Amino acid sequence: MTRTLTGPAVPTAEQRATRRRRTLVVLAVLAVAAGAAFLTVGVTGSWDYALMMRSRRVAAMVVVAVAVAFSTVLFQTVTNNRILTPEIMGFDRLFVLIQTAGVFFLGAGTVTSTDPRIRFAVEVVALVAFGAVLYKTLFSRTERDVFVLVLLGVVLGAMFTSLTLLVSRLIDPNEFLTLQDLAFASFNTVDQQLLVLSAVVVGIVAAAVWRLLPRLDVVALGRDTALGLGVEHRRVVNRALVAVAVLVAVATALVGPITFLGLLVANLARQLLGTHRHAWVIPGAALLAVLALLGGQLVLEQVFGFNSSLSIVINFVGGIVFIALLVREPRQ
Amino acid sequence: MIEIESVCKSYGGARVVDDVSVTVPAGGITSLIGANGAGKSTLLSIASRLLPADSGRVLVDGMDVARTPGPVLARRLAVLRQENTMTVRLTVRELVAFGRFPHSGGRLTAEDRARIGEALDWFELAPLADRHLDQLSGGQRQRAYVAMVMCQGTDYVLLDEPLNNLDMRHSVQMMRMLRGMADELGRTVVLVVHDVNVASAYSDRIVAMRDGHLVAAGPTAELMTPELLRKVFDVEVDVHELGGRRIAVPWS
């Protein structure tokens, strides 16, 4: 064991790896236990019906957890910071705005009669374009103060929300009902068809991104170091940003915006696993997200009998973590 | 051999590198000297494909750096920039291991591990290998970064101000290690150096720049003259021979 004169014993690489593996296993066991509890606790009446309804929600939570874990960790890597997430920069609110604007300009009839896959593809393309503009203008080349970026994200998010409200007031009340079906999703109203589609999309994106992970480990060292180590920085960043946009779109379409979930689980995963390797952090973040969603919902429903919004609880905890991270961030 | 052919680079109308052509032969240490803003760092960045040139090209052993695929070039040429702030928290061993990325793509082989061990030993980092970078002193951290670049195992190593923030003891230690890399391992080392006397004491060749132009390039002894240094730095300088080295002393 390496022991230095001044400090305490430093764990070796092997000890760190063992600890990481153990942490991930514990998280997996906890997530499975939470899933089992969610399915079985407090069932009254027909078990078949309860299990069917609940397993659909568990499936939705898993899909969202994976999407949020991948999108947050990737976004933080390519933007080289640990505080901003796609949701904080307004991606999810923009997605809702795009949906609303679609109903307003094209009419509910056109929107609902379009194949949901095409509709989703169009919405994702718009989101990718926004991500590209945001990255080009804000994150490439120059180092920017993270506080300015946070402020900008808040302003963009507020603007998208206000625009969504404005457009939805202008919409014909009948069409607004269609919009509500589309855009105000939550874990309590998961659409079966959309769930299957989302799971497939998340699976494909995750598989595609998995091969990028070693290169993303290098990208996290910064642009110049990554280029010096032979990583085609721009190509990797572009692919990661497309993946981020698709995953945010999927998660938002499925259950609506949960702003601080990604921030919470990505940072917690890094802290618990003590590494920045994507192949560790992303599974860790996904398991933590499953735990947060299942555990949060379970507590809300069973303990508080408060059959309402989980995003409020997650955003409350996540918001506190966000502020703590901002306060700790050293000013340049 | 690094061939720089009529390279130009402008930032918002200002020519930072203006039609520079110079050849750095293989082997030894070459120092880029010049006043602040002379374009040394920009030229080094272009030569290591971190920055695209507006015109002109750079060939490393005949490969155009702007067109060669990143992984291919990364096995031939390594570069270290001046500022290395990372949002990622790494141990020394993890950082040095990244030097093997161009060879292994993130999956370390037995050979990679041997090379990492060599680099840690070479830069006397073995006792610190499992510490995090933020637990090290500035000199130790700088050594860790250079160890990563050395671990890349390239024929060419380009370093932008490797002595930045190092005190006298650590500067000398760093230059000795770089000298060893050139002499014992046969690497070609190119440095941007602030201190003319460091360049004089440790390098085989000097490339002198001023206002984006190449002033002179050649063996150290030929370039360490009062006339040339005046041209480069616009300051009156005496050059004395001390212990077989030419030392510049600026008039006060």
Side-chain angles (χ1 to χ4, degrees):
Chain A
M1 179 179 290
T2 316
R3 191 175 277 276
T4 54
L5 288 175
T6 47
V10 180
T12 63
E14 292 76 38
Q15 287 169 325
R16 285 200 176 102
T18 313
R19 199 179 301 165
R20 267 204 295 277
R21 226 166 285 133
R22 207 163 43 207
T23 309
L24 212 54
V25 169
V26 169
L27 286 179
V29 169
L30 285 177
V32 170
F38 187 83
L39 286 177
T40 51
V41 168
V43 173
T44 49
S46 161
W47 272 81
D48 284 352
Y49 181 73
L51 281 184
M52 191 194 77
M53 292 307 288
R54 289 182 181 196
S55 56
R56 188 189 291 179
R57 286 163 69 191
V58 171
M61 285 179 189
V62 172
V63 170
V64 168
V66 173
V68 164
F70 268 95
S71 62
T72 309
V73 175
L74 256 50
F75 187 80
Q76 294 194 333
T77 293
V78 299
T79 57
N80 231 321
N81 82 87
R82 297 179 51 179
I83 293 173
L84 302 171
T85 66
E87 289 82 13
I88 289 171
M89 296 312 290
F91 272 60
D92 52 355
R93 261 90 33 102
L94 177 64
F95 183 77
V96 176
L97 174 61
I98 293 168
Q99 286 184 321
T100 314
V103 173
F104 179 68
F105 287 113
L106 304 175
T110 324
V111 171
T112 45
S113 62
T114 325
D115 186 327
R117 280 166 294 191
I118 294 172
R119 199 175 69 216
F120 187 69
V122 172
E123 288 162 350
V124 165
V125 167
L127 210 57
V128 170
F130 170 70
V133 170
L134 198 70
Y135 187 81
K136 276 273 173 307
T137 51
L138 292 181
F139 293 107
S140 56
R141 295 307 304 159
T142 47
E143 292 283 316
R144 273 179 202 263
D145 191 357
V146 69
F147 294 95
V148 176
L149 292 172
V150 169
L151 184 63
L152 200 100
V154 170
V155 171
L156 281 175
M159 188 181 80
F160 295 146
T161 309
S162 312
L163 280 174
T164 306
L165 278 176
L166 174 71
V167 174
S168 45
R169 290 211 175 129
L170 296 175
I171 290 177
D172 176 273
N174 290 322
E175 301 207 325
F176 184 72
L177 283 178
T178 321
L179 178 68
Q180 258 186 329
D181 262 7
L182 280 180
F184 298 96
S186 84
F187 282 109
N188 301 328
T189 57
V190 174
D191 176 348
Q192 175 97 51
Q193 225 187 335
L194 197 60
L195 178 59
V196 174
L197 178 66
S198 306
V200 171
V201 172
V202 170
I204 291 171
V205 174
V209 166
W210 199 257
R211 292 185 314 119
L212 277 184
L213 295 189
R215 274 175 280 171
L216 281 162
D217 288 337
V218 181
V219 165
L221 303 180
R223 176 186 172 273
D224 288 347
T225 310
L227 280 176
L229 292 172
V231 170
E232 314 272 7
H233 184 263
R234 185 183 299 179
R235 194 184 300 167
V236 176
V237 167
N238 286 345
R239 286 184 194 174
L241 280 176
V242 170
V244 166
V246 174
L247 294 171
V248 171
V250 170
T252 312
L254 205 54
V255 299
I258 313 175
T259 309
F260 289 114
L261 177 64
L263 180 91
L264 185 68
V265 298
N267 283 299
L268 211 53
R270 287 197 196 97
Q271 200 95 51
L272 286 177
L273 295 166
T275 180
H276 285 77
R277 298 243 156 202
H278 289 79
W280 289 96
V281 173
I282 291 176
L287 289 172
L288 281 166
V290 171
L291 265 179
L293 292 172
L294 281 171
Q297 187 77 14
L298 200 62
V299 169
L300 259 182
E301 286 180 14
Q302 307 299 334
V303 179
F304 296 110
F306 178 83
N307 211 338
S308 166
S309 167
L310 177 57
S311 57
I312 294 174
V313 179
I314 302 252
N315 283 340
F316 178 69
V317 180
I320 291 171
V321 171
F322 177 60
I323 291 167
L325 283 171
L326 268 186
V327 170
R328 273 204 345 214
E329 171 81 356
R331 274 184 176 275
Q332 290 100 342
Chain B
M1 186 166 64
I2 302 176
E3 296 160 276
I4 295 171
E5 295 176 356
S6 6
V7 164
C8 295
K9 180 78 189 176
S10 306
Y11 285 121
R15 272 270 162 112
V16 187
V17 174
D18 195 357
D19 196 20
V20 171
S21 296
V22 63
T23 299
V24 177
I29 295 184
T30 302
S31 291
L32 275 164
I33 64 165
N36 293 337
K40 305 166 296 218
S41 291
T42 307
L43 188 65
L44 194 87
S45 296
I46 293 170
S48 52
R49 54 88 169 81
L50 298 183
L51 266 183
D54 293 342
S55 62
R57 60 177 188 166
V58 178
L59 304 178
V60 173
D61 286 344
M63 298 186 295
D64 186 338
V65 295
R67 297 204 183 144
T68 308
V72 174
L73 194 62
R75 290 193 285 268
R76 199 64 76 85
L77 177 145
V79 59
L80 183 67
R81 285 293 301 269
Q82 206 180 122
E83 300 114 34
N84 290 290
T85 44
M86 290 182 182
T87 45
V88 176
R89 193 161 181 262
L90 298 172
T91 64
V92 174
R93 190 189 302 281
E94 285 169 337
L95 178 75
V96 175
F98 273 113
R100 297 309 296 169
F101 189 83
H103 304 273
S104 61
R107 271 181 182 279
L108 298 180
T109 62
E111 203 217 321
D112 291 325
R113 286 181 204 285
R115 295 295 189 88
I116 293 163
E118 275 169 33
L120 289 171
D121 288 338
W122 186 272
F123 286 94
E124 294 164 20
L125 289 164
L128 306 172
D130 292 311
R131 293 240 227 146
H132 282 105
L133 288 176
D134 53 14
Q135 296 169 314
L136 303 183
S137 72
Q140 293 167 336
R141 201 175 309 141
Q142 185 71 359
R143 280 210 315 269
Y145 282 112
V146 180
M148 171 184 84
V149 168
M150 177 199 163
C151 197
Q152 216 172 317
T154 55
D155 295 337
Y156 297 90
V157 178
L158 276 54
L159 305 167
D160 193 349
E161 303 238 16
L163 305 182
N164 207 13
N165 292 325
L166 296 191
D167 59 23
M168 193 159 57
R169 190 171 90 85
H170 289 104
S171 297
V172 169
Q173 190 183 32
M174 175 68 76
M175 288 311 296
R176 284 203 185 125
M177 287 166 174
L178 295 177
R179 196 62 253 179
M181 275 172 67
D183 294 341
E184 292 164 37
L185 306 178
R187 310 285 182 85
T188 306
V189 181
V190 182
L191 310 170
V192 170
V193 181
H194 233 84
D195 188 333
V196 182
N197 291 326
V198 170
S200 171
Y202 291 99
S203 48
D204 304 295
R205 279 174 306 276
I206 286 180
V207 173
M209 291 180 71
R210 180 179 175 169
D211 299 335
H213 297 279
L214 180 76
V215 180
T220 304
E222 287 175 25
L223 267 75
M224 284 297 290
T225 62
E227 296 74 37
L228 187 98
L229 293 178
R230 190 187 310 123
K231 259 206 298 201
V232 175
F233 291 99
D234 208 12
V235 168
E236 293 297 327
V237 176
D238 267 351
V239 177
H240 299 284
E241 187 112 6
L242 286 174
R245 293 186 174 124
R246 288 170 166 259
I247 303 299
V249 182
W251 284 355
S252 50

